[in-house]
Amino acid sequence: MVQNPAASSSRLFSTQPEDAAVEQPPEGMDDLFGRIAAGLYSLASMLAGEGEESVRLVEEAVATADISACATPAEARKSSHLALAKAALEAIARREPDSLAAPAANPAPATCIPDDDLDAAGVSPEEFERMIAGPDRDRVRAWLGQLPTALRAIFALRAVAGFTAAETAGLLSTHAGPAARNWSAESVRDTFRLGLCALASQLLHASTTR
């Protein structure tokens, strides 16, 4: 059984042995850690799949990102997302060496989506966050699981982690293996638009079958 990282945030964010007497985090900090850990597991499972590997990626990200030193919750999330993205892309590249390869040419423009943001697909970032955490979670994850690995990774990094096209291209080029070195901000935008088109189609299908 896979343990939910949110239920063990103290263990995940502790740098001391479990039986050691450690200073308690400031009031409210443990709750922040728990929310960040839950969000990290959600992102890790979208990138690498549900299970022990995603738990390990969360623990690795927490060990790498000094979240307690961050000045604001937003800064803590950004730092932890960055650490997790690096670890997850490296894990995927080891498991499927060519799955994150940069396209030989930019994908054909996704004409149904004019912009590379969630609003263009008819859903706000807040609505999408509720979708991946609420009753529609399994349906959204099943849809994501059907996407090609590179498209799924870019969608998760842009729509869930909140990285820009340039940041995503940099992460892929640096951490996704030799085949991914030629990702550019433009090719990331075009690929993300393909994902947004697929999301719009999924939302339309769901609305007509309810």
Side-chain angles (χ1 to χ4, degrees), residues 41-63:
Y41 181 77
S42 179
L43 177 59
S45 63
M46 290 180 190
L47 289 167
E50 300 272 0
E52 293 293 340
E53 182 176 28
S54 287
V55 173
R56 179 187 61 77
L57 288 171
V58 171
E59 292 177 336
E60 183 177 340
V62 168

Side-chain angles (χ1 to χ4, degrees), residues 62-138:
V62 168
T64 303
D66 188 1
I67 296 173
S68 61
C70 294
T72 66
E75 184 180 328
R77 290 188 183 91
K78 182 77 171 183
S79 178
S80 60
H81 281 168
L82 182 60
L84 177 68
K86 292 176 180 179
L89 290 175
E90 289 169 1
I92 295 169
R94 287 192 299 269
R95 186 175 66 197
E96 307 171 69
D98 295 325
S99 63
L100 296 171
N106 287 339
T111 54
C112 74
I113 297 292
D115 300 311
D116 64 326
D117 57 46
L118 277 171
D119 290 329
V123 58
S124 70
E126 294 76 18
E127 288 171 332
F128 186 72
E129 186 173 346
R130 288 194 293 271
M131 286 171 61
I132 62 177
D136 291 327
R137 175 181 182 275
D138 290 341

